[in-house]
Amino acid sequence: MEKKQKTISVTGVGIKDVARLAGVSPATVSRALSGGPVSEALRAQVEAAVRASGYRPNLAARRLRSQHSGTVGLVVADIRNPFFTGLSRAVEDSAYQAGMRVILCNTDEDPQREALYLRLMQEERVSGLIFAPTRASMSTLDQSSFEFPVVLVDRAATGVPFDAVVLDNRAAAAQLVNHLVARGYRRIGGLFGKTSITGAERRDGYVGAMQRHGLESAYRLVAPTAEAAYAEAAAWFAEATRPQALVVSNSLLLVGVLKAARAAGLCMPADLALAGFDNDNWTELVEPGITVIEQPVDDIGRSAMGLLFERLQEPQRPLRRVVLSGRCIVRGSTAVLETAVTGAVPQEAER
Amino acid sequence: MEKKQKTISVTGVGIKDVARLAGVSPATVSRALSGGPVSEALRAQVEAAVRASGYRPNLAARRLRSQHSGTVGLVVADIRNPFFTGLSRAVEDSAYQAGMRVILCNTDEDPQREALYLRLMQEERVSGLIFAPTRASMSTLDQSSFEFPVVLVDRAATGVPFDAVVLDNRAAAAQLVNHLVARGYRRIGGLFGKTSITGAERRDGYVGAMQRHGLESAYRLVAPTAEAAYAEAAAWFAEATRPQALVVSNSLLLVGVLKAARAAGLCMPADLALAGFDNDNWTELVEPGITVIEQPVDDIGRSAMGLLFERLQEPQRPLRRVVLSGRCIVRGSTAVLETAVTGAVPQEAER
DNA sequence: CTGAAAGCGCTTACAG
DNA sequence: CTGAAAGCGCTTACAG
């Protein structure tokens, strides 16, 4: 069983070998394998011949001939960022379910690598691309740069000429502010990443919500690393106007802020309340638990693949932008402020 | 600039178009692009024509003709496991540096999906495969199953007929035991995953080290999920023979144990010392910090790619097994036991 | 339903 | 160094 019939071919057993074995033409083998119109008798012969020979179709040949790569590209900043880890898993699952492959690339937010990988996508003739662009490159892009559909994820300015799946970042940030206000906090600061559009949108949401509550915004922008957040937070905590509560725009920054708070000897939430984004493992495990906005990564990945498929079927359809909501997971880091002015009713509901 | 010369071809601009534009043959374009022997004059003409036409080579055609896919497969259990996240990033970096692509597949430890993806690797005609097999499939595998080199990572029984890169799991587990003994603990239990060879090796290391110290082993095996670990640990903590310290074989189980300890109201390290594997973010951030063995994921990924390349260059070389050491990161979860019998000198050094 | 033939876009001996 | 020709392994009109 499973005897390896070494044929003359260097390449192993090909469709012609199977055809010979089954006593049919290569065309019939091809049809039988792709579910084409073949009589049951021949189909059975072909299947037997495939099993006997251990034949595996050559995908490079199939792609070249059929002009379908059956491949989608996924270009993100860094797979080690838990948001992208989850996203890539969701995209891969959707893709493999649809019988497609995924090519994953990490740009590290480097425009040069970004350009390199976009070029690669062209060379692979991907059927479509799911892309989380840097802010710089997003403005450069237009549809004519690509001969395949592109779906932006996570980062997409309103009005960009692409299908997109994003979180409602403004609403999510506002949700955190509302929650903090409801819990009695007033001097609420913000720390946002300055390189991605996501950080900017979350900042806008924060500023808007603070305004609606009649509170004064105080935010700072940092490079998207734990180290930068640590430095900025440490400096801030040393100032007289240190905030009572902090809204932080992603989990990397959150790590930096947490370490800075500990280094400064600040207790949560008594000395500092903390609220952020991404329901990473550690935000639950740390004491007293960090209040965060959880992003629906599975939905985001699935929706992105969905938009891609629909675009492939109907290239001329109007642009679509799927906006998903985050879920606020309340934990100990934003417990009710004990010195709260109980008379001050928040002007907006928590949700 | 960058004018899209739409040619008659449906497929976009091909090598023949470039050749016509440059006034040379397709063969010369091919040579110029692949760094073959071409005069400087013609090379410049070709480069200009490529720029002018926006030509991008079709990788499917190149692969079919050259019989090199320039692709390595990476088959792991789940990219969301932080060990595999780091590994995949390391492998991808090595691969892209060498001008190769990576195809990533998540098996979820499911033998059926494993078989499916191994078949896919054949169809892609990958140049090589980096593979973390389940225990079940590892015994099934032999070299003749593949027509490309395979390097096992993370999981590889001694004696398997493949190149492999693994952690010295026995030494690492022993290191944790030695450390706990040196800190004064004696009733040291173990919790190990039962599905992977890794868990078994770590258990062996634990048992051996306990024996050398003249201590009695007490370990339990569980399914590799946080839930299973939680259930088992919760039950154990309720028993009279509850351990003073616990060695846990991976970070998923560690999460379960930590939650169970908290639910049982056990303080670390006073009521329970904890030591595990994988220097995941949260092990540092949690109070009082968990002592763990850090795996050199970058080294593991790089070494695996290295073994693959060497095997491709020299198919007949003897099998190689690279065994890397973990680094013990000591944190508060294994602080000196205050009630330690100070007379009992550990029989082995901590390292 | 089936087969013979053409061709996807490249690379690579082969000959000069 | 250069070009004409063959061919990698498939799929797909085309004809029957």
Side-chain angles (χ1 to χ4, degrees):
Chain A
M1 209 186 255
E2 195 77 39
K3 208 181 267 178
K4 272 279 163 44
Q5 285 263 80
K6 281 285 170 201
T7 65
I8 17 124
S9 161
V10 254
T11 340
V13 16
I15 201 169
K16 290 205 262 189
D17 304 297
V18 178
R20 204 176 308 125
L21 240 163
V24 300
S25 73
T28 296
V29 175
S30 175
R31 290 193 192 98
L33 259 42
S34 65
V38 178
S39 68
E40 270 317 308
L42 291 196
R43 187 183 301 279
Q45 280 170 243
V46 169
E47 278 164 8
V50 166
R51 262 194 304 279
S53 62
Y55 169 69
R56 292 283 104 210
N58 181 321
L59 291 184
R62 176 177 291 174
R63 286 175 183 137
L64 174 59
R65 177 56 234 243
S66 69
Q67 302 289 349
H68 295 300
S69 68
T71 299
V72 310
L74 176 62
V75 176
V76 299
D78 186 350
I79 184 76
R80 286 171 300 195
N81 175 328
F83 173 77
F84 290 127
T85 311
L87 179 70
S88 87
R89 185 61 215 263
V91 167
E92 303 225 25
D93 284 351
S94 292
Y96 281 99
Q97 262 176 44
M100 303 192 79
R101 255 34 78 228
V102 176
I103 301 182
L104 174 68
C105 296
N106 301 287
T107 66
D108 287 334
E109 317 268 6
D110 173 356
Q112 267 193 297
R113 291 183 63 165
E114 218 174 24
L116 174 75
Y117 290 135
L118 292 181
R119 212 149 49 224
L120 175 65
M121 296 301 122
Q122 316 249 120
E123 301 187 354
E124 293 280 4
R125 303 294 192 266
V126 293
S127 303
L129 174 63
I130 296 176
F131 184 25
T134 61
R135 210 172 169 185
S137 79
M138 188 156 46
S139 51
T140 316
L141 301 174
D142 68 310
Q143 284 193 86
S144 65
S145 316
F146 306 98
E147 43 252 30
F148 42 76
V150 175
V151 175
L152 264 29
V153 282
D154 184 46
R155 306 153 175 202
T158 50
V160 289
F162 293 100
D163 292 320
V165 183
V166 293
L167 192 76
D168 190 339
N169 285 306
R170 288 183 188 78
Q175 207 178 135
L176 291 179
V177 171
N178 294 345
H179 166 69
L180 285 165
V181 170
R183 290 287 168 102
Y185 298 92
R186 294 296 175 270
R187 215 164 60 249
I188 304 170
L191 193 70
F192 304 102
K194 65 176 159 193
T195 57
S196 76
I197 182 93
T198 319
E201 290 176 355
R202 291 173 189 176
R203 181 205 54 199
D204 291 350
Y206 157 84
V207 169
M210 291 295 281
Q211 262 171 0
R212 284 193 294 280
H213 287 292
L215 299 173
E216 203 168 333
S217 307
Y219 67 85
R220 307 193 176 183
L221 303 178
V222 295
T225 68
E227 292 68 35
Y230 181 95
E232 189 66 49
W236 204 350
F237 293 158
E239 296 174 16
T241 57
R242 174 170 71 74
Q244 297 172 298
L246 216 44
V247 172
V248 181
S249 74
N250 73 49
S251 61
L252 231 49
L253 301 188
L254 208 49
V255 169
V257 171
L258 179 65
K259 288 185 178 174
R262 286 186 182 165
L266 301 179
C267 271
M268 282 194 306
D271 302 323
L272 179 75
L274 209 50
F277 282 80
D278 292 327
N279 185 25
D280 199 6
N281 231 339
W282 69 264
T283 60
E284 181 192 359
L285 294 173
V286 134
E287 290 290 359
I290 313 284
T291 294
V292 293
I293 298 287
E294 180 182 55
Q295 298 200 55
V297 276
D298 285 350
D299 277 357
I300 294 175
R302 236 191 328 262
S303 300
M305 282 296 291
L307 288 185
L308 213 48
F309 285 136
E310 291 170 25
R311 173 68 56 198
L312 286 166
Q313 283 181 233
E314 194 190 336
Q316 297 308 327
R317 71 203 289 265
L319 287 179
R320 285 239 303 221
R321 184 182 178 87
V322 175
V323 180
L324 298 171
S325 294
R327 190 168 66 97
C328 186
I329 300 182
V330 175
R331 299 204 179 99
S333 69
T334 57
V336 173
L337 181 62
E338 297 193 1
T339 61
V341 184
T342 42
V345 177
Q347 295 165 35
E348 221 173 316
E350 191 168 323
R351 260 232 145 204
Chain B
M1 208 187 254
E2 196 78 39
K3 209 180 270 177
K4 272 275 163 50
Q5 283 265 78
K6 281 285 170 199
T7 66
I8 17 127
S9 162
V10 253
T11 339
V13 17
I15 201 168
K16 289 204 260 186
D17 304 296
V18 177
R20 205 176 308 123
L21 240 164
V24 300
S25 73
T28 297
V29 175
S30 175
R31 289 192 193 101
L33 259 42
S34 65
V38 179
S39 69
E40 270 317 307
L42 291 195
R43 187 182 301 278
Q45 280 170 242
V46 168
E47 279 164 8
V50 166
R51 263 194 303 279
S53 62
Y55 170 69
R56 292 283 107 209
N58 180 321
L59 292 184
R62 177 177 289 173
R63 286 177 182 133
L64 174 58
R65 177 57 233 242
S66 70
Q67 301 288 348
H68 295 299
S69 68
T71 298
V72 311
L74 177 61
V75 176
V76 300
D78 186 350
I79 184 75
R80 286 171 301 195
N81 175 328
F83 172 77
F84 290 126
T85 312
L87 179 71
S88 88
R89 184 62 216 260
V91 166
E92 302 224 29
D93 284 351
S94 291
Y96 281 99
Q97 262 175 44
M100 304 191 77
R101 254 37 76 228
V102 175
I103 300 181
L104 174 67
C105 297
N106 301 287
T107 66
D108 286 334
E109 316 268 6
D110 173 357
Q112 266 193 298
R113 292 184 62 166
E114 217 174 24
L116 174 74
Y117 290 136
L118 293 181
R119 211 148 50 223
L120 175 65
M121 296 301 122
Q122 317 248 119
E123 301 187 354
E124 293 281 3
R125 304 295 192 264
V126 293
S127 302
L129 174 64
I130 297 176
F131 184 26
T134 62
R135 210 171 169 185
S137 78
M138 187 158 46
S139 50
T140 316
L141 301 174
D142 68 309
Q143 284 192 85
S144 63
S145 315
F146 306 99
E147 44 252 29
F148 42 76
V150 175
V151 175
L152 263 30
V153 282
D154 184 46
R155 306 154 174 202
T158 50
V160 289
F162 294 100
D163 292 320
V165 183
V166 293
L167 192 76
D168 190 339
N169 286 306
R170 288 184 188 78
Q175 209 179 132
L176 291 178
V177 171
N178 295 343
H179 165 70
L180 286 164
V181 170
R183 290 286 168 101
Y185 298 92
R186 294 296 175 270
R187 215 164 58 249
I188 303 169
L191 193 71
F192 305 101
K194 66 177 160 192
T195 57
S196 78
I197 181 92
T198 318
E201 290 177 355
R202 290 172 189 177
R203 180 205 55 198
D204 291 349
Y206 157 84
V207 170
M210 291 296 279
Q211 261 171 359
R212 285 194 294 280
H213 287 293
L215 298 173
E216 203 168 330
S217 308
Y219 66 85
R220 307 193 176 182
L221 304 179
V222 294
T225 67
E227 292 67 35
Y230 181 95
E232 188 67 50
W236 204 350
F237 293 158
E239 297 174 16
T241 58
R242 174 171 69 74
Q244 298 172 297
L246 216 44
V247 172
V248 180
S249 74
N250 72 51
S251 61
L252 230 50
L253 301 188
L254 208 48
V255 168
V257 170
L258 178 66
K259 288 186 178 173
R262 285 188 182 164
L266 301 179
C267 271
M268 280 195 306
D271 302 322
L272 179 74
L274 209 49
F277 282 79
D278 292 327
N279 186 26
D280 199 6
N281 232 339
W282 69 265
T283 61
E284 181 192 359
L285 293 173
V286 134
E287 290 290 359
I290 313 282
T291 294
V292 293
I293 297 288
E294 180 182 55
Q295 299 201 54
V297 276
D298 286 350
D299 276 359
I300 294 176
R302 236 191 329 261
S303 300
M305 281 296 290
L307 288 185
L308 213 48
F309 285 136
E310 291 169 25
R311 172 69 55 199
L312 286 166
Q313 284 180 236
E314 195 190 336
Q316 297 308 325
R317 70 203 291 266
L319 287 178
R320 285 239 303 220
R321 184 183 178 87
V322 174
V323 180
L324 298 171
S325 294
R327 190 168 66 96
C328 184
I329 300 181
V330 175
R331 298 204 178 99
S333 70
T334 58
V336 173
L337 181 61
E338 296 194 0
T339 60
V341 185
T342 42
V345 177
Q347 295 165 38
E348 221 174 315
E350 191 168 321
R351 261 231 143 202

